[in-house]
Amino acid sequence: QVQLVESGGGLVQPGGSLKLSCSVSTFALDYYAIGWFRQAPGKERESLSCITGSPATTWVADSVKGRFAISRSNARKTVSLQINNLKPDDTAVYHCATQNACGAHFPFLSWGQGTQVTVQS
């Protein structure tokens, strides 16, 4: 059974950092890559980053490369997204999701309820 629960969002000033966490069921960790995407009002869904199983390989969208980093802990059953140098355009609901493989063209299969990130002065 696939279960994904995001946490760690909040209100942050521009230039700040956040670490989002995705609690992942064992089944999902064993069989899927885990990705992050965001959805802002009036904007298209944007794929951000993804990580596969062991050995872990990662993918990060060019639009956020250098500011976003993904990691996973099999022991804690979590996939984290570190976001640095936050900008107002980063304001969105962030979701973690299962994918068959990493990359922007691979569809999201299941996702959690999301965590809100708001960047403003």
Side-chain angles (χ1 to χ4, degrees):
Q1 185 177 3
V2 174
Q3 291 183 326
L4 303 150
V5 180
E6 303 91 339
S7 62
L11 174 63
V12 186
Q13 292 187 340
S17 298
L18 277 177
K19 188 172 185 177
L20 308 183
S21 291
C22 176
S23 177
V24 186
S25 62
T26 301
F27 178 83
L29 270 180
D30 286 345
Y31 288 99
Y32 295 102
I34 305 297
W36 285 90
F37 68 89
R38 64 188 178 188
Q39 183 82 60
K43 295 185 179 180
E44 292 187 358
R45 177 183 293 180
E46 182 181 10
S47 183
L48 301 169
S49 189
C50 178
I51 190 166
T52 64
S54 298
T57 58
T58 62
W59 171 85
V60 180
D62 288 342
S63 61
V64 298
K65 197 168 289 184
R67 296 195 300 122
F68 287 38
I70 193 169
S71 61
R72 65 186 279 161
S73 168
N74 290 337
R76 292 192 294 270
K77 299 181 184 179
T78 58
V79 173
S80 299
L81 185 69
Q82 177 70 41
I83 309 174
N84 298 323
N85 190 21
L86 278 154
K87 305 174 181 180
D89 283 349
D90 293 322
T91 297
V93 178
Y94 285 69
H95 299 265
C96 60
T98 55
Q99 294 178 270
N100 285 324
C102 284
H105 55 287
F106 288 99
F108 298 109
L109 307 173
S110 299
W111 52 91
Q113 83 288 348
T115 186
Q116 175 71 47
V117 173
T118 303
V119 185
Q120 67 181 40
S121 301

